[in-house]
Amino acid sequence: MVTAGQRLRVGVDAATWANDRGFGRFTRELMKALIARDERIEYTFVFDRPPQEAMPVGAKVLSAATRRALNESHEGDSSRSMLDLLRMAWAVRKANFDVFFFPAVYSYFPILGRMPCVVCYHDCTAERLPQYLFPKPINHRLWQLKTALALRQTTRAMTVTETSANDIERILKVPRSHIDVVTEGADPAFRVHPQIVGIEARAEFGVKDGEDLLVTLGGMNAHKNILGLLHAMPQILAKRPQVRLIIVGDTSGRGFWDNVPELMAYVAAHPPLEQHVQFSGYLDDDAVVRLLNGATALVFPSLWEGFGLPAVEAMQCGVPVLASNRGSLPEVVGDAGLFFEPEDPTDIARTVLMFLEDQSLRVRLGKTALTRAADFSWERAAALAEASFRNAASPRHAAASAKAATDPPPQ
């Protein structure tokens, strides 16, 4: 292991820093917590293009000056060029870090040399549900190639739940002894506000007095199964017509292979839904916090999640979670919610109605949500991630220490 007096130099792939998906938030929040934690570790953010915002105090910044940024590539439905990948790889090689960290395998690029690597595999959704994530077979094959290369260079595999760790062991064939489980957390902004905030938020989003407000957020991709929730809505409305569903997410068309047109077309084709379902578009965190404080429940119908951060954000606002019984959601939500079969609209409707019609259950789950949310924090994630970096670097540090002990002193 690395001794207490040794300074560890960790390079971080920061190409996802500005990304608005879950792994972008993971990169930002985890790195902020890591930098605040231990001054004996030096973090250098390696960007594909110079960042447009100030970085956390204490972090170093290195830009590979690629011709195209990762975010530009995904919005253009294309891949980064080989030259850009080589520029990233060469920048890392010249820096000669003790460890290099990829916060998401999504942005992986090959590392030149034998530098220890910690790669975060958030989930195996792409392996489980490729038909929902890739628009063309070639996109799937490129993902498989990238993942195979990443696995060959992975010293320690990081992930965010035991559910994902089990998948990484079983599907990606990584030995369990090489997998480190960290966690995620909600920003402190997600909290219970005075009752007036919830009332104002409901008015802000056009929710009428007496309506039960269901919220779903966390992405508009097909595997998020919002369409499955829409299929359940007629059954819910038949017994409880005072229900409003707000779907939060970017509807601009710039999403990462989302199915927004399909969702909107379904609502338009079923006129009763138009009075009860609305698309909010992209909302910043402040608006999401206000919305959650006015919500009756978060509905999370995803077919698979590696973590499910919106569930923790909702619970931290005291909002119960009605979730899919698949992936990590039962592990994360625990006893702060109810679970349904996501591919069965009748079961989704049954679960939602059971919750809405039982006032004592609603109160109990709201209280439990706050208790459950306290189990998750970025500070805890940072402590676990730091241990992963030290474990990955320890052979190299051990060799360096042995060499230093035998080298003659400088003259």
Side-chain angles (χ1 to χ4, degrees):
M1 296 296 293
V2 178
T3 62
Q6 289 179 306
R7 187 171 178 82
L8 190 65
R9 298 174 60 250
V10 178
V12 181
D13 169 30
T16 61
W17 185 273
N19 192 280
D20 60 4
R21 298 180 68 203
F23 49 71
R25 185 181 291 269
F26 176 83
T27 302
R28 295 187 296 273
E29 298 302 329
L30 178 63
M31 294 315 305
K32 290 174 186 176
L34 279 164
I35 289 171
R37 175 179 168 76
D38 194 340
E39 294 182 355
R40 295 171 300 172
I41 301 182
E42 176 184 286
Y43 293 100
T44 300
F45 296 165
V46 181
F47 282 89
D48 44 13
R49 300 280 288 278
Q52 300 300 307
E53 60 183 283
M55 293 295 104
V57 176
K60 294 187 174 183
V61 174
L62 175 63
S63 173
T66 60
R67 295 183 178 182
R68 198 177 193 193
L70 175 68
N71 285 348
E72 294 171 348
S73 294
H74 99 70
E75 287 182 3
D77 194 22
S78 60
S79 302
R80 290 181 288 181
S81 70
M82 185 61 68
L83 179 58
D84 282 347
L85 294 177
L86 286 173
R87 286 181 177 182
M88 293 290 286
W90 184 244
V92 171
R93 180 181 175 87
K94 287 195 298 182
N96 193 32
F97 299 113
D98 297 311
V99 178
F100 195 75
F101 174 45
F102 288 97
V105 69
Y106 167 75
S107 58
Y108 167 82
F109 54 86
I111 295 293
L112 304 175
R114 296 187 176 183
M115 188 179 299
C117 290
V118 176
V119 183
C120 189
Y121 300 83
H122 288 258
D123 54 58
C124 289
T125 306
E127 287 72 28
R128 283 179 168 273
L129 303 170
Q131 69 274 26
Y132 290 107
L133 270 70
F134 303 107
K136 302 174 184 176
I138 185 62
N139 298 115
H140 185 205
R141 288 195 288 272
L142 288 172
W143 175 268
Q144 291 175 311
L145 175 61
K146 177 167 68 175
T147 302
L149 290 172
L151 287 167
R152 288 180 65 86
Q153 292 195 304
T154 297
T155 308
R156 305 290 304 177
M158 182 185 291
T159 195
V160 289
T161 57
E162 289 295 336
T163 299
S164 287
N166 292 337
D167 265 6
I168 292 166
E169 180 181 20
R170 186 179 66 83
I171 298 174
L172 299 184
K173 308 302 182 185
V174 178
R176 188 61 181 82
S177 59
H178 291 186
I179 302 172
D180 299 316
V181 179
V182 297
T183 188
E184 298 188 25
D187 188 281
F190 289 87
R191 61 186 177 89
V192 178
H193 284 268
Q195 184 63 28
I196 187 65
V197 174
I199 295 173
E200 291 176 346
R202 291 169 70 88
E204 175 185 350
F205 290 95
V207 181
K208 300 174 183 177
D209 289 342
E211 283 188 321
D212 293 311
L213 174 56
L214 305 178
V215 174
T216 185
L217 60 128
M220 306 283 278
N221 310 99
H223 78 281
K224 298 294 184 177
N225 194 37
I226 296 173
L227 188 60
L229 176 57
L230 292 177
H231 287 162
M233 281 298 292
Q235 297 181 56
I236 296 171
L237 293 171
K239 292 191 175 181
R240 203 166 179 95
Q242 69 277 28
V243 170
R244 175 72 62 91
L245 171 64
I246 295 183
I247 300 170
V248 179
D250 186 1
T251 57
S252 67
R254 298 192 305 268
F256 185 75
W257 299 333
D258 61 41
N259 67 335
V260 171
E262 182 182 15
L263 299 176
M264 289 186 164
Y266 184 85
V267 172
H270 298 78
L273 292 184
E274 291 185 300
Q275 305 302 315
H276 298 272
V277 176
Q278 66 188 78
F279 295 86
S280 72
Y282 170 80
L283 298 179
D284 62 22
D285 282 356
D286 288 342
V288 173
V289 171
R290 293 196 303 275
L291 183 60
L292 287 174
N293 269 267
T296 309
L298 175 79
V299 185
F300 208 153
S302 181
L303 297 177
W304 201 263
E305 291 290 322
F307 186 85
L309 184 55
V312 178
E313 293 171 341
M315 291 189 296
Q316 199 161 285
C317 292
V319 179
V321 180
L322 312 179
S324 164
N325 60 10
R326 297 186 187 178
S328 62
L329 292 174
E331 177 183 343
V332 171
V333 175
D335 58 356
L338 302 176
F339 302 96
F340 50 74
E341 169 51 53
E343 294 186 281
D344 183 352
T346 298
D347 195 45
I348 297 175
R350 180 193 63 79
T351 304
V352 171
L353 289 168
M354 179 175 65
F355 170 80
L356 293 178
E357 294 171 356
D358 189 335
Q359 184 60 32
S360 63
L361 177 63
R362 291 165 63 162
V363 172
R364 176 172 62 80
L365 290 180
K367 292 178 179 178
T368 307
L370 289 169
T371 303
R372 182 68 178 171
D375 292 341
F376 304 94
S377 72
W378 290 113
E379 290 74 18
R380 179 167 176 262
L384 295 167
E386 181 184 307
S388 181
F389 301 152
R390 293 192 179 279
N391 285 339
S394 58
R396 191 176 187 182
H397 271 258
S401 298
K403 183 177 184 301
T406 56
D407 282 347
Q411 301 297 318

